[in-house]
Amino acid sequence: KTQNCTKMNMKMKSVVATQTQAQTQATTLESIKWIARNFFFTAAFVLALFPSVMKIYETSHWFREGDPSVYDNAKDWFSNPAIPFQSYFDNSKTLMRVYFFIIPYIMSASCVTLGLCIPYVPSPYGSSHMLQRPRRVFGSF
């Protein structure tokens, strides 16, 4: 009788260990999904801000001042025929604007698309109270 109980306990431990291992794998997968989704959304946000910050810097006094200025060096660098899309644009200033002001928005949209392709998983690091609606204190407003 004790041998049967021992065998039963061993089987139950094996089943519990398998379930625990499956839960651990599922939790790890959910964590990876959550991290990847938030990475893509953060990258999209940074890429969407980049053109505005770059425009502020490009029109600043520091970018245009000097002999040769950073602006002159940038125009010279973008006049290199080995740069992709160089053959499609007539001057380096236009190509610089494409790289600084158009391509970041395309990359941002791609990051948002990739982030939305990953299924939503609630944060594995605890529930977020920020998503709950605040209670009304006075009146019905």
Side-chain angles (χ1 to χ4, degrees), residues 22-64:
Q23 288 173 346
T24 304
Q25 288 176 348
T27 304
T28 304
L29 184 61
E30 287 177 357
S31 295
I32 291 170
K33 285 180 183 178
W34 184 82
I35 290 169
R37 184 177 167 97
N38 286 322
F39 169 77
F40 283 122
F41 287 147
T42 303
F45 178 73
V46 170
L47 286 168
L49 282 180
F50 178 77
S52 299
V53 172
M54 197 62 210
K55 185 62 178 173
I56 291 169
Y57 176 67
E58 185 199 29
T59 57
S60 70
H61 184 62
W62 299 290
F63 190 71
R64 306 248 178 189

Side-chain angles (χ1 to χ4, degrees), residues 5-16:
C5 288
T6 306
K7 288 181 182 179
M8 184 75 91
N9 285 340
M10 294 293 279
K11 285 182 182 180
M12 288 187 70
K13 285 181 182 179
S14 174
V15 169
V16 169

Side-chain angles (χ1 to χ4, degrees), residues 75 78 88-102:
K75 281 187 5 180
F78 279 103
Y88 298 109
F89 299 101
D90 55 350
N91 63 17
S92 60
K93 186 175 179 180
T94 305
L95 184 63
M96 186 169 61
R97 288 183 176 165
V98 166
Y99 273 101
F100 288 153
F101 305 124
I102 296 173

